[in-house]
């Protein structure tokens, strides 16, 4: 790793922490109420919508959430199917196939934003705005709402309710996501991210292009309202690009600065939620512990990816290609990367986007070195808890915290407890269900795909690399990441349906148990430990030891479940490469 | 650690020969799948063993996916894995059963004299198993008490040694706190009428036997939560290994080389990965915990109570008998002005020579210790002893013209004032100071002259302060409960080193205190013996009733201490903690083991498809077959190796949670990570040396 | 039945009205407001950063173009279909590091560069022979530009130092040495080169 990389990584981590602290304050405030001048507006809007704002128990909360998301999915499906007859379709795009529309609808509603289609040649401006941008907001708000509910579950003592979903989703969208998105979108636009409603633009080429089909003298550029979608795509850890090349496209991510902003935007809310958690449960060290565990896992992952990518491809070296970093070039494995990002910013972005369940890419993950790709895969397979998705990262990490505390707590000779709440079978059940769901979907999905003709039909690369494409697709879908080893031709009925199922279950079969957990926890009495207790009888969950414990639990559960699959994909590829 | 050792009913030595033989037999009987079903992890192993056995038969018929010898060896070791787990459980149960058998021998058999309803003299001889709650029985000298009950008439000395191990007979009488009798104890003298308070089969003895034998052993909440975790891990590993088959078929097709992974290798991998170590030993740990409790002479009415003991945050302890010795003792001689300490001591000793109360004895002893004053034989010197009466509230001696009296300050003041003397202000100050210290001042006078004050103090038991320090390090708060006034209570609390004190305690105040702690989410443990303790006992999470206590107290508690030792609570807490720690330690160990097993089996299983994965063979195992077999054998043998740990329990140290975790995490986590690398390598070397694989 | 219907409606109403409210705010009001503001504040950037050109509609300085004239700087390989640098079909090769197709493609690109400049025996900068992620990468590294300087000078009959100076004039270096990469915009560089002639 070069000095430049260390500087970038260190600055980035520091910036994330610095953003997390004030943002955590705001988020913690939103858990309880709307900021003062806006509270009246919120109340009036909710009343107009017929929302009473009364506390819901977990079943009521989950019911409202599922209903709301179902409405979103149906609307997005219909919007795609109707786009030929709707306005703001300057390129006159036809409706996508039913399976592609279904996949896209589920994908955006579940905060996955897996894209089986190419944005600039499929979706009208209206679909991008009214369908995709909307779900970028709402799926993010849904995830944060679940995190809010779980925070309340921990903080409350002997309470029946975990909040009101309608209030939460409106409050999060209007007072958190919307203002941040406006600011970020304008910053992007200033740097060159396009924002217009124009049809494709044709410009003359400096040098006519001679092809087999004849001479081409012009270049057509896709246009659209990109900056507005780009902002929420990052802030909401959505990751679905306006363009096919996603954040590698110069119109989505034109400069090194927009790139840094994008990475910070991805981590901002997941990190801020950790801080908010600490505030809500009344012990900020608890939030720092979670953030520290996430940071440790993240930095380790970045280190591997950076080192691997900078070392470059041995096959290229044999062909007389210069991959050494110097003052004049980034060097390294530049296949599938952009010069303005080089190795450092591409590798960092790859780690950020897979650590968080964003899935935006500024480099093609399929062309990463095998071990880097493996680390990106593992970051998703760990359950998207290393920062993770907005909301889902925190609640996923809290599931692991409960698991860690359970095993470790037993070792201290007490019924394990976290934040003064005992972990009984009633808590354990939702935890293990939520943790089991995604490995089940990933492994079964991959097995079915590589075992079927329909699944094998879409592979671009052969052998272990092909296997990795499929494993990556299901890992990405079930964990609601959305990035891809894009060699896989996934826009087929088989993959569209299989991945849609994986995304839906990976999202809601986790959310429902998490809400059940929130409900159970809220009903428990929270043990308050007196300050006079010099020695904590319960395992402390804020120190370095807990951080180590949490990191090990996340790694152990993830590694033990996925090691065989990873060995057959990235590991074999890596050994092939170096021998 | 064990300051109050109990001697009876120690479990048999870990590997008693007859127990071993029985356990081996039971292990085979437990192969019945119906018995395995209760334990999902081991049931999975059972199914795997059955599957591999079928594959072995297929291989014998020449259709095998691998050499028959290899498959057969795997099948055999999988069956051994199940057998070893069965053996652990059977051994734990066998040890408990032996304890239960010794208890059962106490159970009264034969007939009882049942009084006829509405008739105080007539009785029928009935089989005692027909006795029901409310029946009255007459128990005469030499009879065994037929049921748990309450004495409603008469008083008798009862030999309870069978239950408590205490050989001195105790008095049981109608009314008051000593009215309860336990079935199986023997009346030595006199005759009592007992009203049965439980039906046959529900007595403490019965409950204890049922608990110990496991017949009524229900899974505790922690055990259920842990089982949930183990089952889900099993499912995850099932998924991880089962999907390897299609993955490897794809690899073979895509790579155009090698052959798919064998089912034998996958099943071996599965069994090695799922948490068989903890899964196989889980029920043994629970049974052994109950067994340890019984060895401490405590009967728990449920496993839940034992487990809750490990969680206790607050211990409520009665002052008298628990924190202090039962009685006050002389602690200092405080002479009046102009009187020497020795004179005072001499007079006080003389006044107490005939006083047989513990206080009186302690004055004699203190004088002897401080001034080497020997007890004098006063009888020969024509001395008259003045005994304590309720009217004078003084006692003393008239000897050699002296009238020495000692008594409460007020009583002595009246006595000397009547004789024309009085309390000087200095003396009054001494009296008040002593009272303020929480002591009882006893004033000594010779005629009208006041000699001084003997300070009687509550004596805190030796070692109790250290014990409370230990509890504090464990994170447990101690609260002293006493009927004394606040001043006295605070003084003793400071001396004993308790964290908090409840003075002037009434039953209502105790109940309220428990509820307040519980509302803060704390687990409260207490001991009690009187009927007025019953509400608080019923409210506490862990309630240990003294066997010497009333029936009401015993019914309200969830444990009964046969030794009636109030500090037993501390031991109970430790046993509860040990049980949880053992489970946690073995779970961690089991999971950490998996890393090495992957390194052993993965390269071996995929040797044909991806020979490059041989890079993972860090242990340099001889061949694929020996690698797989070594891992399976290690996995089976580790269960046997850990049986002693499961039965004895992980050693508990009174440390904070963080220190305990660091220690156990290092030993069982890191140890569990490293040990299998060495173990599997050694087994592989042995297999290779013996040409077995 | 009626009661159940009313319960259904009472839960459906918030669902639908909250959804409609938020859809209108985030799906119409928000993007339209940002469009308006962007057009007001940064009209060129919002429209695609088009550079005025002597030949009608100017190219975007953010989107690369393909060059094969040995007298111009060549851009990075682009694998967009059907033509390289297709502005409506962004994407990369997605070939894995071990893919034989990748090795062959890189070998062919190295060979083409060497054929166009037989005297240059230096190792080829990696970005010049690897496909970009978007297929629209407007930049090459400074190393890639200087690698081509000798060829361009020879074909154009210019002084090598003049070409190097032109590159340096257009070079963009990382801010504080770690944000951004040493690079040069090929479209702008080639246009400047054309201006020199």
């Amino acid at each position: 790793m070069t000095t430049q990389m260390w500087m970038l990584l260190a600055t980035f981590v520091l910036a994330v922490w610095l953003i997390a602290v004030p943002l955590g304050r705001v988020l913690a405030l939103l858990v309880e109420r709307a900021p003062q001048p806006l509270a009246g507006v919120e109340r009036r809007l909710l009343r107009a919508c017929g929302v009473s704002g009364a506390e819901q128990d977990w079943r009521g909360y989950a019911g409202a959430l599922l209903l709301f998301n179902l409405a979103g999915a149906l609307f997005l499906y219909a919007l795609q199917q109707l786009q030929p007859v709707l306005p703001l379709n300057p390129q006159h795009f036809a409706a996508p196939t039913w399976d592609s529309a279904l996949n896209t609808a589920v994908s955006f509603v579940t905060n996955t934003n897996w894209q089986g289609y190419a944005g600039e040649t499929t979706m009208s401006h209206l679909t991008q705005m009214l369908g995709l941008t909307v779900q970028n907001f709402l799926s993010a708000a849904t995830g944060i709402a679940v995190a809010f509910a779980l925070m309340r579950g921990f903080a409350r003592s002997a309470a029946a309710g975990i909040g009101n979903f309608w209030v939460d989703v409106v409050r999060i969208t209007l007072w958190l996501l919307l203002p941040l998105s406006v600011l970020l979108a304008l910053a992007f636009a200033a740097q060159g991210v396009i924002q217009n409603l124009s049809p494709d633009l044709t410009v003359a080429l400096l040098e006519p292009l001679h092809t087999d089909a004849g001479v081409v003298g012009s270049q057509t550029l896709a246009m659209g309202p990109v900056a507005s979608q780009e902002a929420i795509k990052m802030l909401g850890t959505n990751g679905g690009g306006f363009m096919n090349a996603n954040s590698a496209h110069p119109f989505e991510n034109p400069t090194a600065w927009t790139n840094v902003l994008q990475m910070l935007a991805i981590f901002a809310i997941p990190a801020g939620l950790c801080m908010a958690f600490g505030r809500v449960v009344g012990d900020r060290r608890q939030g720092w512990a979670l953030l520290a565990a996430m940071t440790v896992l993240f930095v380790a992952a970045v280190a591997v990816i950076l080192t691997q990518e900078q070392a470059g491809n041995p096959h290229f070296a044999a062909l007389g290609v210069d991959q050494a970093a110097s003052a004049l070039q980034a060097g390294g494995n530049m296949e599938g990367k952009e010069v303005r990002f080089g190795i450092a910013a591409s590798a960092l972005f790859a780690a950020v986007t897979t650590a968080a369940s964003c899935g935006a890419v500024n480099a093609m993950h399929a062309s990463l070195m095998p071990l880097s790709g493996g680390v990106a895969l593992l970051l998703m397979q760990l359950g998207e808890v290393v920062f993770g998705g907005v909301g889902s990262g925190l609640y996923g990490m809290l599931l692991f915290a409960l698991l860690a505390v359970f095993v470790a707590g037993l070792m201290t000779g007490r019924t394990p407890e976290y934040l003064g709440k005992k972990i009984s079978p009633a808590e354990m059940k939702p935890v293990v269900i939520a943790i089991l769901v995604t490995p089940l979907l990933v492994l079964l999905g991959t097995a079915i795909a590589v075992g079927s003709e329909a699944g094998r039909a879409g592979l671009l690369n052969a052998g272990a690399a092909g296997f990795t494409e499929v494993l990556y697709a299901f890992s990405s879908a079930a964990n609601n990441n959305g990035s891809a080893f894009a060699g896989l031709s996934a826009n087929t009925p088989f993959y569209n349906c299989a991945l849609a199922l994986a995304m839906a279950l990976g999202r809601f079969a986790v959310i429902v148990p998490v809400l059940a957990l929130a409900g159970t926890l809220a009903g428990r009495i929270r043990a308050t430990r007196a300050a006079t207790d010099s020695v904590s009888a319960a395992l402390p969950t804020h120190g370095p030891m807990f951080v180590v414990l949490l990191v090990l639990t996340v790694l152990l559960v993830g590694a033990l479940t996925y090691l065989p699959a990873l060995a057959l994909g990235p590991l074999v590829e890596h050994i092939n490469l170096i021998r | 650690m064990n300051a109050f050792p109990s001697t009876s009913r120690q479990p048999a030595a870990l590997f008693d020969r007859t127990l071993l033989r029985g356990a081996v037999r039971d292990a085979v009987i437990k192969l019945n799948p119906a018995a395995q079903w209760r334990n999902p992890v081991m049931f999975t192993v059972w199914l795997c063993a059955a599957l591999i056995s079928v594959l072995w038969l297929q291989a014998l018929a020449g259709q095998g996916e691998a050499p028959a010898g290899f498959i057969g060896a795997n099948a055999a070791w999988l069956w051994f894995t199940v057998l070893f787990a069965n053996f652990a459980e059977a051994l734990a149960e066998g040890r408990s059963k032996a304890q239960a058998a010794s208890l059962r021998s106490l159970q009264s058999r034969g007939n009882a004299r049942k009084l006829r309803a509405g008739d105080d003299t007539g009785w029928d001889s009935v089989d005692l198993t027909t006795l029901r709650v409310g029946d009255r029985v007459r128990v005469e000298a030499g009879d065994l008490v037929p049921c748990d009950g309450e004495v409603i008439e008469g008083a008798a000395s009862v030999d309870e040694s069978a239950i408590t191990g205490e050989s001195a007979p105790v008095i049981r009488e109608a009314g008051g706190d000593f009215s309860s009798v336990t079935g199986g104890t023997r009346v030595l003298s006199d005759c009592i009428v007992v009203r049965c308070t439980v039906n046959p089969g529900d007595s403490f003895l019965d409950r204890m036997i049922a608990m110990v034998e496991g017949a009524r052993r229900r899974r505790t909440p922690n055990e259920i939560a842990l089982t949930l975790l183990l089952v889900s891990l099993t499912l995850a590993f099932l998924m991880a290994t089962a999907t390897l088959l299609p993955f490897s078929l794809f690899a073979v097709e895509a790579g155009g080389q090698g052959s798919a992974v064998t089912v034998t290798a996958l099943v071996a991998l599965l069994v090695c990965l799922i948490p068989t170590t903890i899964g196989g030993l889980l029920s043994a740990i629970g049974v052994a915990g109950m067994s340890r409790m019984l060895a401490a002479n405590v009967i728990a009415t449920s496993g839940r109570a034992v487990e809750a003991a490990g969680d206790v945050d607050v211990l409520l302890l009665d002052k008298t008998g628990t924190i202090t010795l039962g009685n006050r003792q002389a602690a200092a001689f405080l002479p009046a002005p102009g009187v020497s300490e020795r004179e005072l001591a001499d007079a006080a000793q003389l006044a107490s020579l005939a006083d047989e109360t513990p206080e009186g004895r302690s004055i004699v002893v203190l004088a002897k210790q401080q001034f080497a004053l020997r007890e004098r034989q006063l009888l020969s010197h024509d001395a008259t002893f003045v005994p304590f009466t309720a009217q004078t509230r003084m006692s003393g001696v008239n000897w050699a013209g002296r009238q020495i009296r000692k008594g409460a300050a007020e009583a002595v003041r009246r006595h000397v004032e009547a004789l024309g003397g009085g309390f000087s202000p200095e003396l009054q100050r001494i009296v008040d100071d002593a009272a303020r210290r929480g002591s009882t001042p006893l004033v000594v006078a010779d005629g009208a002259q006041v000699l001084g004050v003997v300070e009687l103090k509550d004596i805190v038991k030796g070692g109790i302060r250290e014990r409370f320090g230990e509890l504090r390090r464990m994170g447990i708060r101690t609260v002293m409960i006493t009927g004394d006034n606040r001043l006295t209570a605070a003084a003793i609390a400071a001396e004993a080193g308790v964290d908090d004190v409840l003075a002037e305690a009434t039953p209502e105040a105790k109940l309220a205190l428990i509820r307040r702690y519980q509302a803060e989410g704390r687990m409260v443990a207490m001991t009690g013996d009187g009927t007025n303790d019953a509400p608080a006992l019923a409210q506490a999470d862990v309630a240990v009733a003294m066997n010497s206590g009333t029936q009401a107290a015993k019914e309200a508690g969830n444990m009964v201490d046969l030794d009636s030792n109030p500090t037993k609570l501390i031991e109970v807490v430790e046993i509860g903690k040990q049980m949880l720690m053992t489970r946690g330690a073995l779970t961690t160990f089991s999971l950490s083991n998996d890393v090495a097993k992957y390194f052993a089996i993965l390269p071996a299983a995929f040797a044909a498809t991806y020979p490059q994965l041989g890079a993972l063979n860090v242990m340099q195992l001889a061949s694929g077959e020996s690698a797989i077999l070594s891992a399976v054998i290690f996995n089976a043998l580790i269960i046997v190796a850990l049986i002693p740990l499961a039965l004895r329990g992980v050693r508990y140290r009174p440390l904070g949670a963080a220190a305990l975790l660091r220690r156990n995490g290092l030993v069982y986590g890191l140890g569990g990570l490293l040990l299998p690398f060495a173990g599997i390598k050694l087994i592989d070397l042995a297999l290779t040396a013996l040409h077995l694989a | 039945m009626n009661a159940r219907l009313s319960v259904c409606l009472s839960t459906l109403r918030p669902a639908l009205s909250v959804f409609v409210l938020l859809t209108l705010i985030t799906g119409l009001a928000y993007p339209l407001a940002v469009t308006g503001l962007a057009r007001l504040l940064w009209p060129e950037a919002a429209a695609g950063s088009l550079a005025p050109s002597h030949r009608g509609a100017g190219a975007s300085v953010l989107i690369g173009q393909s060059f094969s004239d040995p007298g111009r700087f060549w851009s990075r390989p682009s694998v967009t279909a059907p033509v390289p640098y297709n502005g409506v079909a962004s994407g990369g090769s997605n070939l894995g590091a071990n893919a034989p197709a990748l090795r062959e493609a890189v070998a062919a690109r190295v060979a083409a560069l060497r054929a166009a400049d037989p005297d240059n025996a230096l190792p080829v900068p990696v970005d010049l022979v690897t496909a970009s992620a978007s297929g629209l990468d407007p930049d090459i590294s400074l190393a890639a530009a200087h690698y081509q300087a000798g060829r361009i000078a020879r074909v154009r009959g210019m002084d090598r130092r003049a070409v190097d100076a032109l590159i340096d004039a257009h070079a963009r270096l990382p801010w504080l040495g770690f944000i951004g990469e040493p690079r040069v915009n090929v479209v702008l560089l080639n246009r400047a080169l054309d201006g020199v002639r």
Side-chain angles (χ1 to χ4, degrees), chain A residues 300-350:
Chain A
V302 175
V304 175
I305 299 182
L306 276 175
T307 319
Q308 285 292 312
E309 294 306 310
Q310 189 62 67
N313 190 331
H315 295 315
F316 297 172
L319 295 169
V321 174
D322 178 13
Q323 300 183 82
S326 72
L328 297 181
Q329 69 162 4
N333 171 33
M334 283 299 289
E335 177 70 20
K337 294 190 181 64
E338 301 279 298
V339 166
R340 63 190 178 283
F341 307 137
I343 296 298
S346 300
L348 188 58
F349 199 107

Side-chain angles (χ1 to χ4, degrees), chain C:
Chain C
M1 193 63 212
N2 247 342
R4 191 175 297 171
L5 196 69
S6 75
V7 168
C8 258
L9 282 178
S10 73
T11 33
L12 271 180
R13 186 177 159 218
L16 292 181
S17 40
V18 169
F19 181 69
V20 169
L21 172 81
L22 294 181
T23 298
L24 292 177
I25 294 177
T26 61
L28 282 182
Y30 161 69
L32 294 179
V34 173
T35 308
L37 282 170
R39 184 172 294 174
L40 198 70
L41 296 168
W42 303 286
E44 293 85 11
S49 306
L50 305 176
S53 155
H54 57 281
R55 277 196 291 166
S60 167
V61 300
L62 293 178
I63 304 290
Q65 295 183 7
S66 180
F67 299 96
S68 52
D69 181 345
R72 285 203 175 94
F73 288 96
W74 292 358
S75 295
R76 296 190 62 192
S78 161
V79 293
T80 57
V83 292
Y85 287 90
N86 181 350
V88 290
S90 56
S93 73
N94 288 312
L95 290 171
N98 269 323
L102 176 62
R103 217 175 318 169
E104 287 155 19
V106 172
R109 290 165 192 153
V110 171
L113 282 164
R114 294 230 188 274
D117 191 12
D119 303 339
N120 190 348
L122 292 171
V124 185
V126 64
D127 58 303
L128 214 45
V129 292
T130 48
S132 65
S134 62
L136 304 173
D137 195 341
D139 303 312
I140 54 175
S141 66
L142 291 182
H146 286 296
Y147 175 86
Q148 301 183 63
R151 183 193 74 215
I152 290 162
R154 180 170 50 77
V155 172
R156 293 195 168 233
M158 290 169 67
D159 186 355
R160 159 91 198 227
R161 273 170 304 179
V163 180
D164 283 336
L166 194 68
I167 295 171
D168 290 338
H170 283 81
R172 298 171 72 178
L173 296 171
W175 185 78
L176 288 184
F178 71 97
I179 293 187
E181 296 288 339
R183 65 197 166 107
V184 56
N185 185 305
V186 184
V187 176
L188 294 179
L189 188 59
N190 276 332
R191 188 183 283 173
L193 198 59
D194 288 356
V196 171
R197 180 166 48 185

Side-chain angles (χ1 to χ4, degrees), chain A residues 204-287:
Chain A
L205 286 176
L206 219 56
E207 178 184 315
L209 189 63
H210 300 272
T211 68
D212 299 341
V215 180
V216 180
S218 64
Q219 184 184 35
T220 307
L221 305 177
M223 289 284 131
V226 176
S228 56
Q229 191 172 331
E230 200 68 17
I232 187 62
K233 160 186 150 190
M234 297 304 168
L235 277 172
T237 62
N238 291 285
F242 196 97
M243 311 286 187
N244 187 46
N246 208 303
S247 283
H249 197 294
F251 278 164
E252 288 204 23
N253 194 2
T255 67
W257 284 107
T258 53
N259 192 60
V260 169
L261 267 184
Q262 296 203 347
M263 291 190 292
L264 286 175
I266 295 173
F267 271 6
I269 294 179
L273 278 170
C274 291
M275 297 288 97
F277 175 73
R279 282 178 178 274
V280 170
V281 300
D283 180 0
R284 273 186 251 170
R285 297 172 306 175
Q286 304 288 347

